[in-house]
Amino acid sequence: MGLVLDGANRHDVKLVDSTLAGLPPVAEAARDVHRAAGGEQGLCRDAGYDAIQVRETLTALGDTAYIRPRGEEVQAKKAGQKARRWVMERTHSWLSRFRYLLIRRAKNSENYSAMLHFASARITWYNCLFG
């Protein structure tokens, strides 16, 4: 999981490069092994990431972008297809359950980042145990 801190008024497209650069080396090695086995690595994003810059960045990394434009997901849902980005939305919802992160009491960005990493690790650990 890659995490980047920035202001709430910053658009998601501008943070794609730094988020992907923030992935730990273990994640990069796992992606390379997955690709070598013939698997396809993809990133599911919402319409906020529907930009040429994002698609070019992901193509350069060898990833597939699953970005549905506005309105297309509603039509796909009516056709019986499942939404691909629900995992990301669910995880954001779980992060907002940590009151310390929701209210942002930390004045120092390093403290807030540490708590964000802790909450992400706890969510990942819980998913590994209870799937």
Side-chain angles (χ1 to χ4, degrees), residues 1-103:
M1 179 183 293
L3 299 171
V4 176
L5 290 179
D6 207 341
N9 58 349
R10 184 86 174 194
H11 198 277
D12 296 336
V13 172
K14 296 181 180 180
L15 300 174
V16 170
D17 293 331
S18 56
T19 303
L20 293 175
L23 290 173
V26 175
E28 291 295 326
R31 290 169 68 176
D32 293 339
V33 169
H34 184 70
R35 283 192 198 109
E40 183 180 285
Q41 186 71 27
L43 295 171
C44 299
R45 296 288 175 240
D46 59 1
Y49 290 90
D50 195 13
I52 296 171
Q53 173 191 357
V54 174
R55 293 184 187 274
E56 288 175 352
T57 301
L58 295 176
T59 303
L61 292 172
D63 293 336
T64 304
Y66 297 107
I67 303 171
R68 290 199 182 220
R70 297 185 190 277
E72 185 178 307
E73 188 161 305
V74 174
Q75 294 171 355
K77 193 173 183 180
K78 289 179 183 176
Q81 297 175 351
K82 290 176 70 174
R84 296 188 65 118
R85 60 187 173 91
W86 71 272
V87 175
M88 176 184 65
E89 292 173 354
R90 177 201 65 191
T91 305
H92 283 158
S93 172
W94 287 349
L95 281 173
S96 69
R97 304 251 187 240
F98 287 85
R99 189 176 176 117
Y100 185 88
L101 296 175
L102 185 62
I103 296 175

